[in-house]
């Protein structure tokens, strides 16, 4: 019996939606050769990660085992799958494989960091394969809400694995490849040891709808609009952007794309040949001179992002464009959980301007890019895997997906980030636990989620901040009284005196009572002053602020 094994290790994307990063290995325990699937990002929020730009998986384990990595494979060009390639590549050093459209986007991300675009190698679709150590990997086309999405066929000496990536079963996706059940059945015919499968919409009880269904409804809406029409969707949903543009064009409107991400995606799709027949567009400068009833803007910011075009239009002018009473704004998108407040803020801003907002609550103007529960069951039937490993979902999604697999008599394993699974036997087993944390891009610096930096930022935001400065002379005697600087705190408290004066009075009394043991020890001065400030502030304003004490000594 061989002591070599197949391992599966999610570092991001299993137990959450976003930040996808998966590792496969084959070989003797601890010596496996590795491939990485996807390097994606998640996005911060002001409640838990204020000031952070993006979040991605902690790849410390991969960096430690860098010499064992054969290659990185990117399934598609959504940010939660490709967004971290520029941030992680130098520490991994392995070649990156992706299909043409995804490769185009990935090269742009590497170029932002001054990295060689040659690192990204363009792969063709199945049946072409790539040899990566003990693995043979092929890109198997599947439909999704972005062009050239692919599952991965991963062959090992102990059997075939299929990693679905994000997918839906769409026979008419308009842009990109339709789901081909015969091809998937043919690829699965030799036997599939494990299907590692998208779980996003496992709770949706009805079969998914096709992209082709939204076109007529959008056309009807745009044709009936009396004034300016503005629509937003995910910039990466090239098919939807084309559907919107076609609807505007059929209604006799000039089309203008607003937002860098939107233009970048359309350009990449045209450059790589996945998008043809896109209506001609006008620049924002030319758009300003076109009568409002003859113009349609397609803009970024469907998730309420503050700096995107939608949010800026809702607050006033953007690139010289302004919405007025009677204009129409369409959200041709689903609001991702967690973004509801930001989207509602935009809707209310538009409402105050008299703009008519249409969202997807009717179900007419958006279809999901992910497979619903019945679609997942259908794919299980086509592939007939020995083991189902849910991924790309929160814990509740993964758990429900395991139930779905077991209801049909298949083995299922709930594997969350950091759980290394041995797929070699008849039943999957947990081989090891790996620390699977998060890395924050904070400005231009990468920091660990557990480094305390963001935690301190949240504490300052919640509690305010006081800086105390005290100067001592050569004889360790206070030179004057200590003084305070306050940030984020009320000016007066319970005593109705200025808070800064109350704090400084109590600190002066503390110094006046302090003995030589305290006055000669900076640590004791800091500890005492911090305690005084927090206690006094608690009595005055009901808060204990963060405190920084600066002790200066004259030498």
């Amino acid at each position: 019996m061989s002591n070599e094994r197949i391992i599966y290790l999610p570092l991001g994307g299993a137990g959450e939606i976003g930040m996808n990063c998966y590792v496969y290995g084959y070989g003797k325990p601890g010596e496996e050769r590795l491939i990485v699937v996807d390097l994606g990002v998640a996005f911060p929020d002001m409640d838990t990660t204020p000031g952070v730009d993006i979040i991605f998986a902690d790849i410390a384990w991969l960096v430690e085992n860098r010499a064992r990595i054969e290659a990185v494979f990117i399934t598609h060009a959504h940010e939660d799958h490709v967004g971290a390639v520029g941030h992680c590549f130098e520490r991994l050093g392995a070649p990156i494989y992706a299909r043409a459209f995804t490769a185009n986007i990935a090269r742009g991300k590497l170029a932002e960091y001054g990295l060689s675009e040659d690192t990204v190698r363009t792969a063709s679709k199945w049946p072409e394969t790539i040899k990566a150590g003990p693995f043979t990997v092929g890109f198997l086309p599947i439909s999704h809400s972005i062009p050239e999405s692919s599952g991965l066929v991963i062959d090992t000496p102990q059997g075939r694995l299929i990693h679905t990536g994000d997918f839906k079963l769409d026979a008419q996706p308009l842009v990109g490849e339709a789901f081909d059940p015969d091809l998937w059945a043919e690829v699965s015919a030799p036997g599939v040891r494990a299907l590692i499968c998208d779980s996003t919409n496992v709770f949706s009880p009805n079969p998914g709808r096709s992209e082709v269904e939204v076109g007529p409804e959008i056309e009807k809406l745009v044709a009936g609009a009396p004034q300016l029409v503005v629509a937003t969707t995910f910039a990466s949903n090239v098919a939807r952007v084309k559907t919107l543009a076609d609807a505007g064009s059929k209604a006799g409107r000039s089309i203008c794309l607003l937002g860098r991400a939107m233009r970048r995606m359309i350009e990449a799709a045209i450059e790589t040949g996945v998008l043809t027949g896109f209506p001609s567009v006008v620049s924002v400068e030319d758009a300003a001179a076109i009568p409002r009833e003859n113009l349609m803007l397609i803009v970024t910011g469907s998730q309420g992002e503050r700096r995107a075009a939608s949010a800026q239009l809702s607050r006033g002018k953007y690139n010289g464009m302004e919405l007025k009473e009677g204009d129409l704004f369409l959200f041709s998108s689903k609001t991702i959980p967690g973004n509801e407040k930001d989207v509602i803020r935009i809707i209310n801003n538009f409402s105050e301007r008299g703009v008519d907002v249409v969202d997807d609550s009717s179900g007419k103007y958006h279809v999901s890019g992910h497979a619903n529960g019945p679609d997942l069951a259908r794919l299980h039937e086509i592939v007939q895997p020995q083991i189902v490993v849910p991924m790309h979902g929160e814990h509740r999604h993964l758990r429900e997906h395991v139930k779905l697999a077991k209801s049909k008599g298949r083995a299922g394993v709930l594997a969350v980030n950091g759980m290394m699974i041995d797929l070699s036997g008849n039943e999957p087993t947990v081989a090891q636990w790996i620390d699977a944390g998060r890395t924050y891009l904070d400005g231009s610096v990468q920091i660990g989620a557990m480094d305390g930096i963001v935690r301190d930022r949240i504490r300052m935001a919640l509690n305010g901040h006081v800086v105390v400065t005290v100067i001592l002379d050569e004889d360790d005697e206070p030179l004057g009284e200590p003084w305070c600087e306050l940030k984020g705190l009320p000016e007066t408290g319970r005593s109705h005196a200025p808070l800064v004066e109350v704090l400084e009075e109590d600190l002066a009394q503390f110094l006046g009572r302090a003995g030589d043991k305290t006055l000669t020890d900076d640590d004791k001065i800091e500890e005492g002053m911090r305690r005084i400030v927090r206690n006094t502030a608690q009595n005055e304003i009901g808060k204990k602020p963060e405190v920084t004490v600066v002790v200066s000594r004259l030498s």
Side-chain angles (χ1 to χ4, degrees):
M1 175 75 180
S2 169
N3 65 348
E4 295 178 326
R5 65 182 184 180
I6 308 169
I7 58 168
Y8 161 75
L9 170 63
L11 293 176
E16 66 206 341
I17 293 176
M19 204 178 80
N20 293 278
C21 180
Y22 308 93
V23 183
Y24 293 90
Y26 183 81
K28 293 179 180 178
E31 301 175 13
E32 297 94 349
R33 303 304 297 174
L34 308 171
I35 58 171
V36 181
V37 175
D38 291 338
L39 289 168
V41 300
F43 295 98
D45 62 73
M46 285 301 293
D47 291 334
T48 61
T49 46
V52 170
D53 293 276
I54 55 172
I55 305 167
F56 45 93
D58 181 354
I59 60 168
W61 185 85
L62 279 173
V63 173
E64 287 171 19
N65 295 282
R66 170 177 168 144
R68 293 161 53 192
I69 302 173
E70 299 284 352
V72 177
F73 295 89
I74 308 295
T75 58
H76 64 284
H78 274 148
E79 285 294 299
D80 61 332
H81 294 259
V82 73
V85 291
H87 308 296
C88 297
F89 168 72
E90 283 190 296
R91 287 187 289 155
L92 298 180
I96 298 168
Y97 292 92
R99 293 184 63 195
F101 177 79
T102 307
N104 184 297
I105 299 297
R107 288 186 184 110
K109 295 187 177 299
L110 291 174
E112 288 175 16
Y113 274 74
L115 300 171
S116 171
E117 298 180 9
D118 296 341
T119 305
V120 181
R121 303 175 185 179
T122 303
S124 298
K125 64 183 180 181
W126 184 269
E128 181 179 297
T129 57
I130 295 147
K131 187 73 176 163
F135 299 97
T136 303
V137 182
F139 286 82
L140 187 61
I142 197 161
S143 50
H144 184 40
S145 54
I146 193 169
E148 288 192 345
S149 292
S150 298
L152 297 177
V153 182
I154 304 171
D155 282 324
T156 77
Q158 290 187 16
R160 175 166 286 183
L161 313 175
I162 294 182
H163 181 105
T164 65
D166 293 3
F167 76 96
K168 64 183 294 189
L169 306 185
D170 194 338
Q172 293 178 286
L174 299 183
V175 176
E177 295 130 327
F179 174 64
D180 184 345
D182 294 336
L183 175 62
W184 276 71
E186 178 187 316
V187 168
S188 304
V192 174
R193 176 173 286 275
L195 176 70
I196 299 85
C197 191
D198 180 4
S199 309
T200 311
N201 283 356
V202 66
F203 287 107
S204 299
N206 301 313
R209 296 160 57 221
S210 172
E211 182 65 33
V212 77
E213 294 180 38
V214 299
E217 294 293 344
I218 290 173
E219 285 180 17
K220 196 184 307 178
L221 180 71
V222 174
Q227 293 177 195
L228 177 67
V229 175
V230 184
T232 186
T233 189
F234 299 99
S236 57
N237 193 340
V238 173
R240 185 68 48 76
V241 176
K242 185 174 189 301
T243 295
L244 291 166
D246 285 343
S249 187
K250 286 181 181 177
R253 294 173 180 266
S254 298
I255 308 300
C256 178
L257 302 179
L258 282 184
R260 190 172 68 94
M262 185 79 69
R263 294 193 299 274
R264 174 79 186 94
M265 282 289 172
I266 297 302
E267 287 166 5
I270 292 171
E271 283 172 17
T272 54
V274 299
L275 177 61
T276 56
F278 195 82
S280 59
V281 298
V282 298
S283 68
V284 67
E285 293 81 13
D286 291 341
I290 295 171
R292 303 173 69 76
E293 66 273 15
N294 296 335
L295 180 64
M296 179 173 179
L297 309 179
I298 305 176
V299 304
T300 55
S302 67
Q303 300 306 301
E305 302 93 327
R306 286 190 61 80
R307 288 179 292 183
S310 295
Q312 295 203 50
L313 283 168
S314 79
R315 296 193 294 266
K317 287 187 177 181
Y318 177 65
N319 281 358
M321 305 302 299
E322 184 177 11
L323 271 69
K324 298 180 180 177
E325 186 168 350
D327 289 341
L328 174 70
F329 192 97
L330 168 65
F331 282 90
S332 182
S333 55
K334 172 188 175 183
T335 302
I336 296 170
N339 295 338
E340 294 91 348
K341 283 194 296 186
D342 294 328
V343 171
I344 289 170
R345 185 182 298 116
I346 288 175
I347 291 173
N348 280 320
N349 287 348
F350 280 135
S351 181
E352 290 173 11
R353 293 172 171 273
V355 174
D356 296 319
V357 178
V358 177
D359 62 19
D360 185 50
S361 54
S362 66
K364 292 179 180 178
Y365 308 113
H366 177 69
V367 292
S368 175
H370 295 272
N372 291 351
D375 307 317
L376 295 173
R378 182 183 170 203
L379 191 72
H380 293 182
E381 285 299 313
I382 291 170
V383 175
Q384 294 287 328
Q386 181 180 334
I387 303 165
V388 174
V389 186
M391 52 106 183
H392 201 287
E394 298 167 2
H395 195 280
R396 63 194 178 100
H397 298 105
L398 306 184
R399 188 163 176 260
E400 186 68 15
H401 200 163
V402 168
K403 287 182 184 177
L404 176 65
K406 290 185 174 178
S407 72
K408 303 296 183 181
R410 295 186 178 88
V413 58
L414 201 167
V416 295
N417 293 340
M419 186 187 289
M420 183 188 289
I421 303 296
D422 184 341
L423 295 173
S424 301
N426 291 324
E427 288 285 338
T429 58
V430 179
Q432 189 179 345
W433 280 92
I434 304 296
D435 284 337
R438 294 174 164 226
T439 298
Y440 297 153
L441 182 70
D442 193 51
S444 58
V445 179
Q446 293 183 20
I447 60 175
M450 305 305 289
D451 289 356
I453 295 166
V454 173
R455 179 197 62 206
D456 290 346
R457 192 176 293 164
I458 292 171
R459 284 179 174 172
M460 285 189 284
L462 294 173
N463 303 317
H465 188 229
V466 176
V467 178
V468 181
T469 305
V470 60
I471 301 175
L472 296 108
D473 64 18
E474 297 91 333
D475 300 320
D476 299 318
E477 291 295 325
L479 195 65
E481 295 184 343
W483 70 92
C484 298
E485 297 174 60
L486 278 55
K487 291 284 187 185
L489 293 169
E491 291 184 4
T492 58
R494 190 170 287 136
S495 66
H496 303 295
L499 177 60
V500 68
E501 292 181 9
V502 177
L503 291 172
E504 288 173 351
E505 176 65 27
D506 287 357
L507 289 166
Q509 289 184 24
F510 164 76
L511 278 183
R513 296 191 304 266
D516 289 345
K517 277 190 176 179
T518 298
L519 292 174
T520 56
D521 188 330
D522 287 4
D523 290 340
K524 286 185 176 172
I525 293 175
E526 288 182 25
E527 182 185 341
M529 288 187 150
R530 184 175 289 108
R531 186 178 67 251
I532 295 291
V533 169
R534 287 170 67 81
N535 289 344
T536 299
Q538 177 68 34
N539 291 333
E540 284 287 311
I541 61 173
K543 273 186 176 293
K544 290 187 174 182
E546 300 301 299
V547 183
T548 300
V549 179
V550 180
V551 179
S552 297
R553 293 183 181 274
L554 299 177
S555 54

